[in-house]
Amino acid sequence: MVRSRIEAVGSTLPDNEVTTAELMRQLTIDNPIDLERVSGVRARRTAGANEDSFTLAADAARDALANSRYDAADLDVIISCSITRIRDGDFTLEPSFALMLRNELGAHRAVHFDVSNACAGMLTGVLVLDRMIRAGIARRGLVVSGENITPIADTAVREMSEKYDPQFASLTVGDAGAAVVLDADGGADEGIEYIELNTSAAFAGLCLGMPSDRSPGIALYTDNRAMHNEARYLLWTTRQQDFLRERDSGFGAEGYDYLIHHQFSGPAVELINKIAEREFDAAMPPGLLVLDKYGNTASTSHFVVLHDALKQGRLTGGAKVLMVPAASGVVAGFLSVTLGELRVG
């Protein structure tokens, strides 16, 4: 059976840094929540005057290709997964980001399309490309996202009027780009073992991004208490338990070396791991995090973490990594991958 693998990873982060302390000083609320303590976010990057969703995606794609043995012209598929599709000041739906990226990169023979699945966007793109490779439809492709999402923090700072405001989660986001090249050269010791996602649409209303209802700009409204609820976290553990049971396996038997959660809240990730240890009856592998320095970078977060860990030398060939999404929708799932020798610039 053909098996896909991660052939290369790329990432880009704006130079501008805004600390949580700086952001909180802009609020007009008396005795605001200690955001750094309750979220784990110390700082985040924000796009500069000449940066937006498109430039971040394009730069991340170029970085991935620089780390790859392939050129843009070799790609069969480009899948763009951005939530924020901002280019030159406009929120763009047509033409698709994937088409614009194809033209920008010179990947003129690539099939191209966008997918949108909130903060699970890049994992969704990887799922689709993995299935295309396994089906023999494609040999190699690029999944990419650029997130210029910090304008929701600007709206929150401007509009928040109380301590437990629905826009509170907007203060944790950061801008970034990420890209990953998959090809069909996986094998027994390298490649994507499995990736599964599921959506529980009954909870879709708990986190909504839309134009602000009070001022110009985009906003994110989240029911934080309902989102950070054990029932939401069990969506992952229950689904993976069922999946592993069908494989006559268990969590501990899978031998994961590292775990990458969606980067949305340090304390929430700790709670999720405690619940997972109880449900799986197994210890969680060491977690990889960049939440403290980059914040929640939306759909790019898992691959920003992966790139950072490779660059820091924390990950080497042969490491088996479990990625777990958490996204509006509500989207849950898991991706298991054994890495080869990946180069990062």
Side-chain angles (χ1 to χ4, degrees):
M1 176 183 285
V2 175
R3 186 177 180 186
S4 71
R5 66 166 182 164
I6 292 179
E7 192 271 339
V9 180
S11 178
T12 189
L13 292 152
D15 292 331
N16 297 338
E17 181 182 83
V18 176
T19 67
T20 296
E22 290 170 336
L23 190 65
M24 296 301 286
R25 282 197 292 270
Q26 299 177 45
L27 293 175
T28 58
I29 301 170
D30 292 332
N31 301 313
I33 290 173
D34 185 345
L35 177 63
E36 185 170 338
R37 180 182 64 81
V38 302
S39 70
V41 179
R42 179 189 58 80
R44 77 278 294 134
R45 301 293 180 87
T46 62
N50 297 316
E51 295 173 310
D52 54 30
S53 307
F54 184 80
T55 64
L56 292 170
D59 286 347
R62 292 188 188 98
D63 185 47
L65 290 169
N67 296 327
S68 171
R69 63 175 175 166
Y70 301 116
D71 295 323
D74 299 322
L75 298 174
D76 299 320
V77 184
I78 293 179
I79 304 175
S80 175
C81 311
S82 301
I83 301 170
T84 58
R85 304 182 189 190
I86 300 170
R87 187 178 190 187
D88 298 331
D90 294 323
F91 197 97
T92 303
L93 294 177
E94 293 291 344
S96 71
F97 256 37
L99 173 59
M100 292 190 288
L101 288 165
R102 185 197 74 160
N103 294 340
E104 180 78 12
L105 299 171
H108 298 298
R109 57 182 291 273
V111 174
H112 49 88
F113 53 91
D114 292 357
V115 301
S116 182
N117 201 13
C119 289
M122 280 196 72
L123 289 183
T124 304
V126 169
L127 183 151
V128 173
L129 183 53
D130 171 72
R131 301 297 197 263
M132 293 177 74
I133 289 172
R134 289 174 184 257
I137 298 170
R139 288 287 303 174
R140 62 195 67 91
L142 177 77
V143 178
V144 58
S145 179
E147 296 290 14
N148 181 191
I149 200 166
T150 52
I152 66 173
D154 298 335
T155 304
V157 166
R158 186 171 63 247
E159 295 184 353
M160 283 178 61
S161 58
E162 56 188 37
K163 198 170 186 177
Y164 298 102
D165 193 282
Q167 294 191 61
F168 179 76
S170 304
L171 301 176
T172 66
V173 299
D175 297 333
V180 58
V181 176
L182 302 187
D183 70 12
D185 291 345
D189 300 322
E190 176 187 5
I192 293 177
E193 285 90 20
Y194 42 81
I195 175 170
E196 299 289 337
L197 299 174
N198 63 277
T199 298
S200 297
F203 309 123
L206 298 182
C207 186
L208 298 171
M210 62 182 70
S212 168
D213 58 8
R214 292 174 53 192
S215 67
I218 58 174
L220 182 74
Y221 303 100
T222 305
D223 185 337
N224 288 296
R225 289 188 177 90
M227 281 289 287
H228 300 308
N229 178 288
E230 182 168 326
R232 307 296 90 78
Y233 302 147
L234 288 173
L235 295 173
W236 159 43
T237 57
T238 301
R239 180 67 187 93
Q240 188 162 1
Q241 277 183 317
D242 291 344
F243 177 85
L244 293 176
R245 192 175 297 117
E246 292 172 1
R247 290 166 55 90
D248 294 323
S249 183
F251 191 93
E254 289 295 293
Y256 305 117
D257 295 305
Y258 293 98
L259 173 60
I260 301 177
H261 280 285
H262 176 48
Q263 305 290 286
F264 68 105
S265 167
V269 166
E270 291 179 7
L271 174 59
I272 292 169
N273 283 338
K274 288 179 181 178
I275 292 170
E277 288 185 344
R278 182 194 72 202
E279 295 298 311
F280 290 126
D281 192 23
M284 291 298 101
L288 298 173
L289 296 169
V290 297
L291 179 73
D292 60 328
K293 57 185 178 181
Y294 302 140
N296 176 355
T297 61
S299 67
T300 69
S301 70
H302 292 86
F303 293 98
V304 169
V305 174
L306 184 63
H307 184 274
D308 184 81
L310 288 165
K311 193 168 184 177
Q312 301 299 325
R314 296 193 63 189
L315 283 177
T316 56
K320 186 172 182 178
V321 179
L322 178 68
M323 299 185 185
V324 177
S328 305
V330 167
V331 184
F334 45 91
L335 180 156
S336 174
V337 58
T338 299
L339 303 175
E341 296 293 339
L342 296 174
R343 179 174 66 91
V344 294

